[in-house]
Amino acid sequence: MNNLLQTGQRLGRTWGPLLGIAIVAIALLVVAPAVLSPFRLNNLGKYVCWAIAGVGIGLAWGRGGMLVMGQGVFFGLGGYAMAMHLKLEAAMATGGPDAIPDFMVLYGDGTMPGWWEPFRSGPFTLFAILVLPAIAATILGFAIFKRRVKGAYFAILTQALAVAFATLLVATIKQTGGFNGLNQFTQFFGYNLYDPVNKRMIYSIAAVLLIVCLVVVWQLYRSRFGELLVATRDAEERVRFLGHDPANIKLVAFVVAAVMASIGGAMFAPITGIISPSDVDATASIFLIAGVALGGRSLLLGPAIGALAVGFGRTFLSESFPDQWTYFLGLLFIVVILFFPSGLGSSWSQLTSRLRTKEVAR
């Protein structure tokens, strides 16, 4: 009997997460397009983008113990890289191959900075979405982790970077559109964004990317790296004494989380039709953290489901209670923190553990 139970537990640990990912995939790729209106499906696409970033936060924070409160920076790097390409596509569709974005004529002198030019290329844009955040996170993470900055100092530093990044975007109105951001996209790599079929296609791409990120993180969790990451979170000095450099382990998780946030931002731009400083500032970064905390930061599916739930709750409450919705959302977070500090995803395990404790006490 014990052998059967142990075998069942091993199978559950192996195939349970994959079954959960499969259920999420069916819900997003099959059920949602069949039952939701185009408007609601587009809203779901926006939540999926937040969920992609949330999966990376779950890796860095839930397993690595790094409270990354500045993921808006990397979300913005991907979002603005994609938006720059989309703006150039829209300009070239109406003004020819050398046309420049409209806001540069409106706010500036009609010239385009040289660093915009490579983003006319679709392949370069996709390359930049992956590489730019990886480079930025590597430089930043190396400087932070090698100096053993962690805890509240790490969280404050990353949040300060989000504030600085958003301030920079607002100040560079001639290059990035300033407070209004980049908007009025008409094409997505040659596809008309006003066509409902193409909008559904973009939603499907975002949903597939979320599934891919979940599979990647699942593989990392069950790998040797995943074990070292948890060990670094729980006993960093012991890991160092065993001959591993905790800074390098944290750096890998931080870079992976940054790339996932960038991918989420890149899909956010065509789905919502805009990317602005308000989407990447400290408030937006905290919003991402809140979704991960709600779903359960240490679980595989928790961050993604939490981000989807927070996005849906934000829309539902703002529509039903336009003036009071923030209070309801705040109350929800307070309840979760007080009664489910590990997130709603861990509520079942907490309940079963309490029942077992009561049985042992009897």
Side-chain angles (χ1 to χ4, degrees):
M1 180 64 69
N2 289 335
N3 291 335
L4 288 176
L5 290 175
Q6 291 176 358
T7 302
Q9 290 175 353
R10 286 197 299 269
L11 290 175
R13 286 193 296 267
T14 302
W15 297 106
L18 287 180
L19 178 61
I21 293 174
I23 293 173
V24 172
I26 293 172
L28 293 178
L29 294 170
V30 179
V31 178
V35 302
L36 295 180
S37 66
F39 173 75
R40 295 298 179 187
L41 189 66
N42 195 69
N43 275 346
L44 180 59
K46 181 170 62 174
Y47 312 152
V48 166
C49 296
W50 291 333
I52 294 173
V55 172
I57 294 174
L59 174 67
W61 182 28
R63 293 300 175 105
M66 297 171 283
L67 183 53
V68 284
M69 300 188 69
Q71 290 303 91
V73 173
F74 307 112
F75 192 87
L77 286 176
Y80 271 85
M82 177 65 78
M84 289 164 64
H85 175 71
L86 299 183
K87 285 296 289 184
L88 289 171
E89 267 196 318
M92 290 187 292
T94 57
D98 297 324
I100 65 174
D102 50 5
F103 73 90
M104 292 184 181
V105 177
L106 180 63
Y107 301 139
D109 55 3
T111 60
M112 186 175 70
W115 51 272
W116 266 73
E117 194 64 37
F119 289 92
R120 292 188 189 273
S121 168
F124 176 84
T125 300
L126 297 178
F127 176 78
I129 289 169
L130 298 176
V131 174
L132 285 179
I135 294 175
T138 300
I139 296 173
L140 177 63
F142 187 85
I144 292 175
F145 299 132
K146 288 298 182 180
R147 287 170 174 77
R148 302 186 185 183
V149 177
K150 55 185 177 180
Y153 298 102
F154 174 82
I156 293 172
L157 178 59
T158 55
Q159 189 175 37
L161 289 172
V163 174
F165 182 60
T167 304
L168 176 64
L169 292 173
V170 172
T172 54
I173 186 172
K174 297 179 182 179
Q175 294 80 29
T176 64
F179 182 80
N180 295 322
L182 301 179
N183 49 45
Q184 296 181 351
F185 313 131
T186 59
Q187 296 188 55
F188 178 79
F189 293 86
Y191 291 92
N192 185 359
L193 279 175
Y194 295 107
D195 188 340
V197 175
N198 294 336
K199 292 181 75 69
R200 178 170 292 197
M201 175 194 69
I202 297 171
Y203 161 80
S204 299
I205 293 173
V208 169
L209 288 172
L210 173 59
I211 301 304
V212 170
C213 289
L214 286 171
V215 173
V216 169
V217 170
W218 172 70
Q219 287 285 1
L220 290 175
Y221 281 0
R222 62 200 297 264
S223 67
R224 177 65 174 170
F225 168 76
E227 295 176 353
L228 285 173
L229 185 61
V230 174
T232 300
R233 179 196 65 190
D234 297 337
E236 182 173 330
E237 292 303 321
R238 182 172 296 180
V239 171
R240 183 176 287 107
F241 291 150
L242 291 174
H244 301 282
D245 189 349
N248 294 336
I249 299 170
K250 291 181 179 181
L251 181 61
V252 172
F254 187 61
V255 171
V256 172
V259 172
M260 288 185 179
S262 179
I263 293 172
M267 296 308 302
F268 182 85
I271 288 176
T272 62
I274 184 174
I275 186 78
S276 69
S278 62
D279 298 314
V280 304
D281 60 9
T283 302
S285 299
I286 293 173
F287 179 77
L288 293 174
I289 288 288
V292 174
L294 178 66
R297 64 182 183 271
S298 61
L299 305 175
L300 174 63
L301 298 177
I305 295 176
L308 293 172
V310 169
F312 173 78
R314 183 178 180 179
T315 300
F316 174 77
L317 291 173
S318 62
E319 291 176 350
S320 303
F321 309 97
D323 298 325
Q324 298 87 16
W325 71 272
T326 53
Y327 300 108
F328 287 103
L329 199 60
L331 178 62
L332 173 63
F333 290 135
I334 291 174
V335 170
V336 170
I337 291 172
L338 289 177
F339 298 100
F340 305 99
S342 298
L344 291 177
S346 62
S347 58
W348 175 254
S349 61
Q350 290 180 4
L351 178 61
T352 54
S353 64
R354 289 178 182 176
L355 292 176
R356 290 173 185 171
T357 301
K358 289 181 179 180
E359 290 179 357
V360 172
R362 291 176 184 176

